[in-house]
Amino acid sequence: MHYDIIIVGGGAGGLELASKLGRALGRKNGPEKILLIDRSVFHIWKPTLHEVAAGTLNPQQEGLSYSILGRSNHFSFVLGELVKFDPEVKKLTLKEVYQADGTLIIPERHITFNRCVLAVGSGSNFFGTPGSEYAYVLENAQDAQNFHTHLLNLFAKAAYSTNKQLNVVIVGAGATGVELSAEMMEAYHEIQSTSGSEQRFRINLTLIEAASRILSGLPEKVSSQALQALQQKQIKVMTSTKVMQIYPDKVETDQGNISADVVVWAAGIKAADSNREYGLPVNRINQFEVNTQLQTPFEGIYAMGDCAACEWEDGKLVPARAQAAHQQADFLCDLLLAYTKNRSFNKTFLYKDSGSLVSLGNNHGVGNLMGSLSGGSFFIEGLIAKYMYMSLHLMHHKTILGYSKTILLALARAMQKRVSGRLKLH
């Protein structure tokens, strides 16, 4: 099997790149030249995984089939997990696919290519913390769904327990940890509002951060407003606190032990250890090192998104954010289209920080936007910030679905929530 351009990973950046390239090449050439590979059969925008985990977003409604997207955007798709990569001969190998009972469905496959974009994303960085096996992570849609199922069971268990109490600990107060804690409290209050008095229970939600403030990568005003919103939701926030070890029923910190019926780890990212086996240079957290055109030292092999170590400014790397992946998808689309037309391409990738938005539950958000009239940034909060946060999601869908389908999808989901409610309870 051979393709002109292969994209490994159907996250925000990888899927947008495949969609743009496929539409540019058209129905006739796109499916023959462009191949997207992913471990899942459907796509969920990663910044919404905390909503799936809390149950405030239904993955069955949110998920978009890669095969259907490929048909409408003129690219090919195969289900598979990368296990071998040979940059010298430009060949990759996909792992076998088995049924739950161990029956082989798809054998190992070898695919050659002319150009390849690695967009395999990243995972959690436990920083060597003992007991990490007891913590849940939110790295993909399956992780989020598994946690949601477990959370519903914990809610039911707490409702009928003798002490009527549930202890939840979230480690890491970056965007994921902050947003998950807010959404989880929304889910808790939704359930409590529909439960009889004999089924009500108390939730103790603790958010732990090693830095001196939450959302430490964002402006201090954003951090301060988010902290105030979390405290109003009765979420206990512990900053300057290091997790020493995780146990099945508690978290040990340098400030003491915290009881925990469930722990979610949302502190730091790290690319897969397997990235070191592909013959490409990687940094200390296994990201592929790329130049200003997002290319590895091997001609025709690129990396983008969370798995790419791309220099930005002041010695920093381009941050692992959806907006970075979106910008890189635009850049690589232009570069690869120039390649297909045998044209030179001399531009370099320049990341432009548009600011950050953080969702703090229903109708509430905070953030800072870059590029005001003064040339700096400005702070927004409340319903405006929440709507702007939602608009980022719609912009992603517009890229892969088009305007009309995105509008129809948004209307359908709004109507569905009016009928079935905001919280998924199954």
Side-chain angles (χ1 to χ4, degrees):
M1 190 184 300
H2 178 86
Y3 282 85
D4 193 21
I5 300 171
I6 291 180
I7 302 162
V8 185
L15 178 58
E16 288 187 11
L17 176 58
S19 299
K20 291 176 179 180
L21 285 173
R23 290 197 300 268
L25 293 178
R27 187 184 303 276
K28 181 179 179 181
N29 295 318
E32 298 297 321
K33 292 180 176 291
I34 310 299
L35 175 67
L36 177 67
I37 301 170
D38 197 85
R39 294 180 295 176
S40 176
V41 295
F42 67 95
H43 168 76
I44 286 183
W45 195 47
K46 193 171 182 178
T48 63
L49 288 182
H50 68 280
E51 296 179 71
V52 176
T56 53
L57 186 70
N58 191 331
Q60 279 70 43
Q61 296 172 0
E62 173 64 21
L64 300 172
S65 165
Y66 284 118
S67 295
I68 294 176
L69 290 172
R71 187 164 65 247
S72 60
N73 288 301
H74 315 312
F75 64 82
S76 295
F77 169 75
V78 296
L79 176 70
E81 180 179 351
L82 182 66
V83 289
K84 294 179 184 177
F85 190 85
D86 191 335
E88 296 281 358
V89 298
K90 295 188 175 180
K91 182 176 77 172
L92 58 82
T93 302
L94 300 181
K95 188 177 181 180
E96 306 96 330
V97 179
Y98 293 90
Q99 289 184 171
D101 63 1
T103 303
L104 179 66
I105 303 175
I106 306 174
E108 183 177 88
R109 291 151 289 165
H110 305 284
I111 307 174
T112 56
F113 55 85
N114 294 331
R115 304 265 163 163
C116 178
V117 178
L118 295 168
V120 292
S122 63
S124 302
N125 192 344
F126 286 98
F127 305 102
T129 305
S132 60
E133 66 273 15
Y134 298 118
Y136 280 81
V137 295
L138 301 181
E139 297 176 2
N140 52 53
Q142 190 61 55
D143 289 338
Q145 291 181 86
N146 290 342
F147 175 76
H148 175 60
T149 300
H150 185 60
L151 183 64
L152 289 179
N153 291 336
L154 289 174
F155 280 172
K157 183 178 179 180
Y160 292 96
S161 65
T162 54
N163 64 358
K164 298 285 186 176
Q165 186 168 282
L166 175 63
N167 299 309
V168 179
V169 174
I170 300 174
V171 182
T176 299
V178 168
E179 292 177 337
L180 176 61
S181 62
E183 287 292 330
M184 202 177 299
M185 290 303 283
E186 294 275 349
Y188 164 72
H189 288 299
E190 288 261 356
I191 287 182
Q192 293 294 283
S193 66
T194 58
S195 300
S197 58
E198 73 282 354
Q199 294 176 305
R200 291 177 183 169
F201 61 94
R202 175 182 175 81
I203 187 170
N204 300 314
L205 201 162
T206 304
L207 181 62
I208 301 175
E209 171 58 45
S212 59
R213 61 183 176 92
I214 67 172
L215 301 172
S216 58
L218 302 184
E220 192 166 345
K221 187 173 183 180
V222 176
S223 173
S224 176
Q225 291 291 326
L227 175 61
Q228 183 178 345
L230 295 181
Q231 290 173 337
Q232 289 175 350
K233 292 176 180 289
Q234 305 301 310
I235 296 171
K236 182 180 180 181
V237 179
M238 299 177 63
T239 55
S240 301
T241 303
K242 182 180 179 180
V243 172
M244 311 302 292
Q245 187 165 351
I246 302 172
Y247 296 89
D249 59 348
K250 67 179 180 181
V251 174
E252 179 187 340
T253 77
D254 58 359
Q255 305 295 320
N257 294 335
I258 305 169
S259 297
D261 297 304
V262 63
V263 178
V264 182
W265 189 275
I269 67 164
K270 182 181 179 182
D273 291 338
S274 57
N275 288 356
R276 295 184 174 275
E277 302 171 3
Y278 299 151
L280 301 170
V282 297
N283 64 6
R284 60 181 179 80
I285 58 172
N286 303 328
Q287 293 174 310
F288 301 111
E289 296 179 351
V290 297
N291 63 16
T292 55
Q293 286 198 325
L294 304 180
Q295 182 172 268
T296 70
F298 290 84
E299 176 69 26
I301 298 176
Y302 308 87
M304 66 176 293
D306 295 2
C307 73
C310 178
E311 289 189 9
W312 180 26
E313 58 184 24
D314 300 326
K316 296 185 294 185
L317 298 178
V318 173
R321 296 178 183 171
Q323 63 173 301
H326 172 76
Q327 292 177 34
Q328 290 173 341
D330 285 343
F331 177 83
L332 284 174
C333 181
D334 292 341
L335 184 151
L336 292 170
L337 285 177
Y339 151 72
T340 62
K341 298 174 183 178
N342 293 318
R343 297 176 181 172
S344 61
F345 188 86
N346 300 317
K347 296 180 181 179
T348 58
F349 175 71
L350 296 174
Y351 172 66
K352 297 179 181 179
D353 188 357
S354 301
S356 299
L357 295 168
V358 180
S359 172
L360 297 173
N362 196 23
N363 297 332
H364 195 186
V366 293
N368 70 303
L369 300 181
M370 308 297 290
S372 66
L373 294 177
S374 64
S377 65
F378 58 95
F379 173 79
I380 58 172
E381 63 177 322
L383 196 57
I384 295 176
K386 180 67 176 181
Y387 282 160
M388 293 193 72
Y389 182 91
M390 294 167 60
S391 72
L392 298 177
H393 193 180
L394 295 177
M395 286 172 61
H396 170 65
H397 278 103
K398 185 265 296 181
T399 302
I400 59 179
L401 294 173
Y403 282 105
S404 59
K405 289 183 180 179
T406 298
I407 292 171
L408 287 173
L409 187 63
L411 290 173
R413 287 172 180 165
M415 293 173 65
Q416 179 66 27
K417 283 188 177 181
R418 291 293 297 271
V419 173
S420 60
R422 183 165 180 259
L423 189 64
K424 183 175 182 288
L425 295 172
H426 59 280

